[in-house]
Every structure is written in C-alpha cells, then in structure tokens.
Amino acid sequence: MRNFSEDHSDLALNTATLGHLMEGCGAGWSPERIIDACAERGFGAIAWWRREIGKRGFEIGERTRSAGLEVSGLCRAPFLVGPLTPGGRQEVIDDFKLAIEIASDLGARCLTVCAGGVIEGSHSITESLKEVASIVADMAQYAESSGVRLAVEPLHPVYGASRSCLVTVRDAVNMCEDIAHPFVTIAVDVYHVWWDISLASELKRAGADRIAGYHLCDWLADTNDVLLDRGMMGDGVADLKAIRQAVENAGYSGYCEVEVFSVNNWWKRDPSEVLDVCVERFRTVC
Ligand code: ZN
C-alpha cells in the first residue's frame, strides 16, 4: 500500500469540496484561484464539474496543466434513467456526448457517470440497469475516440430511487464485464461503498484496468443529509485504510480524490482552510 504520510502528490481535489462556485456555498473562488491554491499545496490533480467551467474546458485544462497539475476527471454525464434525466433517451445521449467532449477538451482522465434512479413506473432495478448498460455501451466508442474513459460510479443504496439504480460495486463490475469495452470502467467512492463487505473481492474481480477513480470522504455517524452532509476523512465511521487497501490490492495506483459535499460545514469555511485540512487528513488517516 502506498505511504502518503510524507508525500501527497497522489492527492486530487474534486472541486465539489469547495462548494462548487455556487452562491452561498464556499467562497465563490474562480477556477484559476482553485488551481493556484492546489498547486501551492502540492496537490497532484483536480477534478472539475461542468457547471463550474461552462465552455472553458480547453482553457481550464491548459491552465491546470501549466500549474503542474493533472485533470483527474470531469463530473459528470447526465443521469441516464429515472426522474432526474434531461429528457428522453435522445436528450440523454446528446448531453452525454457533450459531457464527453468537455472532458476531452479538458484533457480529463475520465468522465464520471451516474446511472440515475429507477425508471419511473417500472418498479424494476433490473430493467433500469439494463437501460443504463445499453446507453453506456452506446457511448463507449464515442468515449474511446475522444480519449475519455467512462467511470461508472455506483452510489449508496439510499439513492436507488432518484440518483442511481446502480448501488453496488458488484453490479457495476457486472455491467463492465457485459459491455466489455476498455473505456468502460468504474469509480469507487468511500461514501457509497464503505458498508460493503464484499468490496475487496469485487474490486479484485474488476481489476486495475477497470478502476478509473477513487474518491475520498467519510460517512458521519450522525449524518443529517445523505446528499450534502458528507464528512471529511477521519470524522466518520468508514475504515479508510482498509478501503484503500482493497482498491490498491485490485491494482489501482491512481489519484485519490477528495470529494466532500457539506453544505453546512466545509462549504461554509474558508477554502484555504479546507484545502489545508484535506492535505493533513490525507497524510494521516487515509
Ligand atoms: Zn464520487
């Protein structure tokens, strides 16, 4: 297992951790300011959100690299099924392609894909997953020709109805195996997998080539909002070292990306402090 106690060059920032650039969340820092603050602190990479960069993908990708950082990813493709999609299948495909193009402009290593909730009226996780796999399979070639890996992220089962009918690493790996395309991979997020005792064996089954990202945060024992009350690493109940061990035993050696959605705590703090805490926790508890 990698030793991060004196080297955090494998640490990446997912910009959601600074509250995006939303009114009332975080300090409204510009992408440029985020890049400089991460570079000063020795982060290795940044993962951006589409809402933050708009049409500036190419420019921000170049700016990130000129500061000595990589772009570890882009969040995200549209929800593919369920109540939060941008429309019917064609609208989903169109927006999915746009997300791939932005990721390509950015030079992002991967594009995060969230399945979306169970298809309305279907009452069927199985049927919903089939449609998700069908759309992801349709997009695989376009992703490859754009040089962007698709990182399908299973979410915690609490999101099954709204954001992700894909709720286990097992199902995500099955989907990758069925599609069998080298650009269809998974992302592993502590928040979504910390409870899963089959994690290590499922990640081994996935193998290094099918794991495109590892996301860090913590699950607070007294969480009061499953979307916007994530914990900073070390503040919750997840066994962070064991989870990383499982990811690395499967062969993953890429960035560890801090992704903390925290509307009432971390998003209210000075982003400089948040970044300092990310580095300190990464070195000590991850
Ligand atoms: Zn994540």
Side-chain angles (χ1 to χ4, degrees), residues 74-81 92 96 99-100 110-116 132-133 135-137 139 143 148-155 163-164 166 172 175 183-187 215:
L74 175 70
C75 297
R76 59 181 169 65
F79 290 115
L80 308 182
V81 295
V92 168
F96 202 150
I100 290 171
C110 64
L111 171 69
T112 300
V113 178
C114 293
V132 169
I135 296 171
V136 173
M139 289 291 98
V148 175
R149 291 208 291 173
L150 303 178
V152 181
E153 185 168 339
L155 304 190
R163 290 169 182 268
S164 183
L166 183 69
M175 187 177 294
F183 275 63
V184 176
T185 66
I186 67 168
H215 305 167

Side-chain angles (χ1 to χ4, degrees), residues 14 112 153 188-189 192 215 230 257 259 261:
N14 184 303
T112 300
E153 185 168 339
V188 181
D189 186 321
H192 304 303
H215 305 167
R230 288 190 182 200
E257 186 181 302
E259 186 182 35
F261 300 79

Side-chain angles (χ1 to χ4, degrees), residues 113-193:
V113 178
C114 293
V118 71
I119 294 171
E120 292 166 292
S122 78
H123 303 280
S124 173
I125 290 279
T126 305
E127 193 183 309
S128 304
L129 284 175
K130 265 190 200 151
E131 178 66 6
V132 169
S134 161
I135 296 171
V136 173
D138 274 2
M139 289 291 98
Q141 199 50 49
Y142 193 69
E144 180 171 13
S145 62
S146 305
V148 175
R149 291 208 291 173
L150 303 178
V152 181
E153 185 168 339
L155 304 190
H156 190 284
V158 75
Y159 298 113
S162 58
R163 290 169 182 268
S164 183
C165 54
L166 183 69
V167 296
T168 60
V169 172
R170 176 199 66 201
D171 291 347
V173 176
N174 286 345
M175 187 177 294
C176 287
E177 288 197 335
D178 289 347
I179 295 172
H181 190 288
F183 275 63
V184 176
T185 66
I186 67 168
V188 181
D189 186 321
V190 165
Y191 200 71
H192 304 303
V193 306

Side-chain angles (χ1 to χ4, degrees), residues 233-247:
M233 298 85 74
D235 288 346
V237 297
D239 190 345
L240 296 170
K241 293 224 192 260
I243 296 170
R244 182 160 70 86
Q245 178 91 64
V247 174

Side-chain angles (χ1 to χ4, degrees), residues 35 62 84 129 136 174 216 219 250 279:
I35 292 166
E62 292 286 293
L84 300 177
L129 284 175
V136 173
N174 286 345
L216 286 169
W219 183 283
V279 170

